[in-house]
Amino acid sequence: MQQRVGGGQRFVLGAVLVAVLAVLSGCDETFLDPFDNDERFFTVYGFLDPMQLRQTIRVIPVTRFPEDIQGPAEDQAFIDARVYTRDLTDSTSTLWQHELKQQDDGSFIHLYHADFLVKPGHTYRLDIIRNDETTTSATTIVPRPTSDKIVLASGPVVQSDSSVVQEIALPDIPALWDLSAIYLVEGPSYRDRVFVPYPTPSGPDEDGLWKYRLNVTADQDSIIARAERFMRNQAVDTLPVTLTAMGVQFRIIDTEWHPLLTESDIIRLSQPGVASNVVNGYGMFGSMGLHREEWEVSTQVAAVLGYPISVDLDAVF
């Protein structure tokens, strides 16, 4: 079964990573005199994301001079660092690849990439090793819910105005990053999961529950828009579909690292003397967990929403 990630989620993640790189690339606060650096050798910032195959971190050597790489031929364009992650749960090891990446202002920074699937509940240790075997390291445990089914939800509710809503509550989640409603739509020649992002609440209620009200009726606009794009690409005039299931997907933040919410958070984490899980270095290396849960939509509720329908390019829900 193919799983698709909505464009909104990709945008959020891309914006976060761009913010990390942009702000950290402008921070000279990582500059420390090597004779007074308290045995700190690298600053690192990044996190393991289960929604991405390619993982990315930034590494900054702690030296006498602040990082200011204006060209690939400069001395600072070379970095004495081999980067590994070791999955301490299943004893696998991954070598990360270096990239000297140019920023919008023309300067360059050191990034490292590795392609692997982040496994929930696994413990990963990041090692940044110089040629003299001096090592900066950090460890993160990928967060996961306490059980496979955690969404407290009754079925979708048809309101007096015939609109449909779905109340959900998420218990035992330490910190929530984002949430999307999922809709499974199927037809004779069509099957798609549509992801509709929802804003994150400010926090759990007094009972420790993260509560959402999903506007199922309003979310149908996204379903129709996706179906219409498919029809244009396939040169199809009509597309019979029905709604068979819905659910939610969200990421959980590792409680051992600070969530990257604002630029001030990023700058603060890049400075010496703040909370850090990096040994022999500065910064923070964390992880996110991913949870997806789905349930059937009854034919009665689907009928209230107008299914089954035959979508055409002039359809207006």
Side-chain angles (χ1 to χ4, degrees), residues 237-258:
D237 293 330
T238 60
L239 185 66
V241 296
T242 190
L243 179 66
T244 59
M246 66 173 296
V248 293
Q249 175 177 284
F250 56 87
R251 286 180 292 176
I252 309 166
I253 299 175
D254 180 357
T255 56
E256 297 302 316
W257 66 292
H258 293 271

Side-chain angles (χ1 to χ4, degrees), residues 4-264:
R4 300 177 180 173
V5 177
Q9 292 169 313
R10 286 194 297 267
F11 173 80
V12 169
L13 180 63
V16 166
L17 187 54
V18 168
V20 173
L21 302 181
V23 175
L24 284 182
S25 65
C27 291
D28 288 345
E29 290 82 354
T30 54
F31 161 64
L32 291 175
D33 192 297
F35 302 103
D36 189 27
N37 66 359
D38 193 28
E39 301 300 314
R40 308 297 178 101
F41 306 104
F42 296 98
T43 294
V44 58
Y45 195 91
F47 56 89
L48 301 179
D49 190 337
M51 288 181 61
Q52 300 293 319
L53 174 61
R54 169 151 292 189
Q55 310 300 322
T56 302
I57 61 171
R58 182 175 178 193
V59 176
I60 307 171
V62 176
T63 67
R64 180 185 298 274
F65 304 104
E67 185 177 67
D68 182 22
I69 309 171
Q70 296 302 317
E74 294 187 354
D75 290 343
Q76 284 192 334
F78 169 78
I79 183 170
D80 177 8
R82 305 188 313 276
V83 176
Y84 295 87
T85 43
R86 307 179 195 277
D87 186 335
L88 303 184
T89 305
D90 64 16
S91 301
T92 59
S93 179
T94 301
L95 173 65
W96 292 51
Q97 301 301 315
H98 173 256
E99 176 191 5
L100 186 66
K101 184 175 179 62
Q102 188 169 23
Q103 302 299 284
D104 291 340
D105 64 0
S107 64
F108 292 80
I109 60 174
H110 295 290
L111 298 183
Y112 281 83
H113 306 287
D115 295 339
F116 62 93
L117 293 175
V118 177
K119 300 175 182 178
H122 282 220
T123 300
Y124 292 87
R125 189 181 76 225
L126 175 75
D127 290 321
I128 306 171
I129 308 171
R130 295 194 320 200
N131 283 333
D132 62 3
E133 300 304 318
T134 298
T135 301
T136 293
S137 63
T139 302
T140 182
I141 301 174
V142 180
R144 64 184 306 173
T146 55
S147 64
D148 292 336
K149 291 189 176 296
I150 65 169
V151 178
L152 304 180
S154 57
V157 175
V158 180
Q159 302 191 107
S160 58
D161 61 356
S162 297
S163 63
V164 179
V165 298
Q166 171 75 63
E167 304 282 354
I168 66 169
L170 314 174
D172 302 323
I173 300 299
L176 191 66
W177 178 266
D178 55 14
L179 180 141
S180 291
I182 308 171
Y183 297 96
L184 179 60
V185 186
E186 300 180 89
S189 59
Y190 182 74
R191 194 171 192 270
D192 192 19
R193 272 186 174 83
V194 181
F195 293 79
V196 181
Y198 273 76
T200 302
S202 58
D205 64 12
E206 61 277 5
D207 297 321
L209 300 176
W210 297 77
K211 292 184 177 179
Y212 284 82
R213 168 176 274 206
L214 307 182
N215 191 334
V216 180
T217 297
D219 290 349
Q220 303 311 299
D221 291 341
S222 298
I223 295 174
I224 298 302
R226 292 263 299 191
E228 289 179 344
R229 285 198 294 271
F230 172 83
M231 293 166 61
R232 290 189 181 96
N233 292 336
Q234 300 296 319
V236 177
D237 293 330
T238 60
L239 185 66
V241 296
T242 190
L243 179 66
T244 59
M246 66 173 296
V248 293
Q249 175 177 284
F250 56 87
R251 286 180 292 176
I252 309 166
I253 299 175
D254 180 357
T255 56
E256 297 302 316
W257 66 292
H258 293 271
L260 203 168
L261 299 177
T262 66
E263 289 191 359
S264 61

